[in-house]
Amino acid sequence: MTSNKEDYLKVIYEGGGLERPVPNKEIAQALGVAPASVSEMLTKLNQQGLIVYGSYKGSRLTEAGLASCMDVVRSHELWEVFLIRHLGYTWREAHEDAHLLEHVASSRMIDRLDNFLKHPQTCPHGSLIPQNGRIPESEGFNRLSDLSAGETAMICRVLEDGTLLDYLERRGLKIHETIQLLSIDDYEGPVSFILEGRTINISFKAATQIFVKRLSGPAKEDYDGS
Ligand SMILES: [Zn+2]
Ligand SMILES: [Zn+2]
């Protein structure tokens, strides 16, 4: 498979394409190309059974599509872990530069990198890292915007869009931390919640791009997130 096709599949995967159709606009933005030029490739991937594509709805990844981008997804995510842990990268920087590294590394190098990093389960943005060519089973997540006031939840994953990553990291959002929702204003207004004793306010739109696991009990203090 050419790296270009893999790029499309990976962008759809990272955009949440297993859970929802990813709009053309987002795919174009993530790839840095004009929206008009993505539809041709998406039609091709649709014909090959790698995605389910509707020009107004967007693209969902099929099982076959997921399988054929696993190696590059794994490479991308392990590089992200490395860049953040060892080179002091931000969320956004790691996502951007992992794009440069993901295609050039051999599978031997990626296996050694995985060993060196002690087999992380998720990338820094919370996406599960494939093991043996498969994405591990995950429990279904809710969107942060689906929570009600007073509920506690663990932040599990954020969509990998550069602007969103900067926005959330600046506000101190952390993966695998517990939050308590304070309020969601009417008419899709701002969302506020408590994280590590601080109140954080984000836009409703951002809250729809954060995936959480509802917790019934009180906040867990000892979760190490790795
Ligand atoms: Zn990424
Ligand atoms: Zn990531």
Side-chain angles (χ1 to χ4, degrees), residues 8 24-25 27-28 31 33-43 53:
Y8 273 75
N24 283 15
K25 211 177 86 188
I27 297 170
L31 291 166
V33 297
S37 59
V38 300
S39 61
E40 195 186 330
M41 176 63 95
L42 294 173
T43 306
Y53 169 60

Side-chain angles (χ1 to χ4, degrees), residues 76-77 80 95 123-127 160:
H76 177 93
E77 293 178 343
E80 286 183 337
H95 175 65
C123 87
H125 317 103
S127 295
E160 300 200 15

Side-chain angles (χ1 to χ4, degrees), residues 20-156:
R20 59 150 201 167
V22 181
N24 283 15
K25 211 177 86 188
E26 282 181 34
I27 297 170
Q29 213 169 31
L31 291 166
V33 297
S37 59
V38 300
S39 61
E40 195 186 330
M41 176 63 95
L42 294 173
T43 306
K44 214 185 281 175
L45 295 175
N46 187 53
Q47 281 161 2
Q48 294 171 358
L50 299 171
I51 61 170
V52 178
Y53 169 60
S55 47
Y56 294 102
K57 286 207 182 107
S59 302
R60 271 178 179 277
L61 212 53
T62 63
E63 281 290 322
L66 181 65
S68 55
C69 67
M70 280 301 86
D71 286 349
V72 72
V73 165
R74 179 166 177 253
S75 172
H76 177 93
E77 293 178 343
L78 289 170
W79 282 121
E80 286 183 337
V81 175
F82 176 81
L83 294 172
I84 285 182
R85 270 196 212 165
H86 297 287
L87 301 186
Y89 272 57
T90 66
W91 272 6
R92 179 187 192 146
E93 289 171 342
H95 175 65
E96 286 174 357
D97 284 3
H99 279 309
L100 306 175
L101 296 162
E102 67 196 22
H103 294 296
V104 295
S106 65
S107 52
R108 171 173 60 197
M109 189 185 286
I110 295 306
D111 286 342
R112 302 268 173 96
L113 182 62
D114 188 35
N115 283 338
F116 175 71
L117 297 170
K118 303 203 166 57
H119 316 291
Q121 308 283 301
T122 68
C123 87
H125 317 103
S127 295
L128 289 166
I129 297 177
Q131 316 284 347
N132 307 316
R134 305 199 47 182
I135 298 281
E137 283 292 322
S138 82
E139 318 112 274
F141 295 143
N142 289 100
R143 289 166 192 269
L144 200 158
S145 54
D146 294 335
L147 297 178
S148 319
E151 267 191 290
T152 55
M154 184 167 69
I155 305 277
C156 291

